[in-house]
Amino acid sequence: MQTDFIQEARRQAEICNACRYCEGYCSVFPALHRERAFSDGDITQLANLCHNCRGCYYACQYTAPHEFDLNLPKALAEVRQASWQEHAWPRGFAALFDRSGVLMAAGLILGFALIFALAQAMRPETGEGFYAYMSHGLMVTIFAPAFLLPLFALAISLRGYWRTVGGQEFRLGDLWEAMKSAGRMKNLQGGHGDGCNFEDEDRFSHARRHFHQAVLFGFLLCFASTSSGTVLHYVFGLEAPYGFFSLPKLLGVPGGLLLCLGTAGLAWLKTKADPQLGAPKAWGGEMAFVLLLFTVGASGLILYAATGTAAVGWLLPLHLGAVLTFFLLTPFSKMAHGFYRMAALTKEASVTRANRAPSLAGATGQANRS
């Protein structure tokens, strides 16, 4: 099936390469126009550069009912989804999440929440805040491997991807360029900076770009909140709970709000967009991931608001169940796309730099001869 997706994407890429009307729309087209022929690795790289903004589809004169029947966003989305499944480790879980993501996530959250609720019977005799319900040691024992093992699985997946696309050694500057592009969501600005057409053919909008940025920076703030709490606990001996004006709360509360805003916005846009311009079979898994991330942010905010009340007894297991589910599903949910996208942008930055170097050298030599 993956071979069929790649062959169809190759057919469409070759037509796009001859037309070149969409040159400059996003990172896909400069990379596409560099090639005369496309290997399987080239198509996989193009697919992971694509942000599915759909501007090229609505601008194309060769979409159905034209005999070429181009739908490049869908073709690349299906290759992209297949590449994540192909490289996921252990294999099989990514396809299962795409098919039954909502049911899978909901079942794991409720199952883990029940286990955490039962674990409260072993809660310590002393403790403040959340530690009055569950010991710090138990949380570390559960969440440390739940955080590290998915990162290990992702590292194996990305190594396979890097080999498939023919990735070579890269410089830190290439990674920095990729990070800047991802932070600005450069490829969601549209070819002329007016935004993309994700949710409406005739309407250019930056909504998807801004919601993506809210999710990205909200997640980073939440991660920084947790990291600062870890430093305060182990380095300075300052144990939770922390006040509102402490670093964990000043980072975590805005992070949770941005996370909820961004995921709610993306879910809303997905209901408005045409599913036939993406990977239709992955729609449920993508929505499940967005809703899971929203549940993590919302349950954390509600739990904080309920501090000091009896509701903490059942809100804490629910929130911990959502966080644990998110961690364990990261290598198989759309969360993995951020890592693949960074790898694709890094490779593109390294290729662009390498191609620019001979041109600069030639220009310098010409100037010296003059």
Side-chain angles (χ1 to χ4, degrees), residues 7 24 44 89 93-94 103 119 135 151 175 177 215 233 269 308 322 335:
Q7 288 176 348
T44 300
W89 185 87
F93 285 99
L103 183 62
S135 70
L151 289 181
L175 181 59
E177 287 299 319
V215 172
H233 183 97
L269 290 181
M335 184 66 185

Side-chain angles (χ1 to χ4, degrees), residues 135-185:
S135 70
H136 178 267
L138 179 60
M139 290 189 187
V140 172
T141 300
I142 294 173
F143 283 95
F147 175 72
L148 295 175
L149 289 177
L151 289 181
F152 177 72
L154 278 169
I156 294 176
S157 302
L158 289 174
R159 183 181 64 176
Y161 171 80
W162 195 251
R163 290 175 175 174
T164 296
V165 301
Q168 305 294 326
E169 292 185 2
F170 61 90
R171 298 178 182 177
L172 288 178
D174 301 328
L175 181 59
W176 176 242
E177 287 299 319
M179 292 173 65
K180 288 193 298 182
S181 177
R184 296 196 308 268
M185 300 292 170

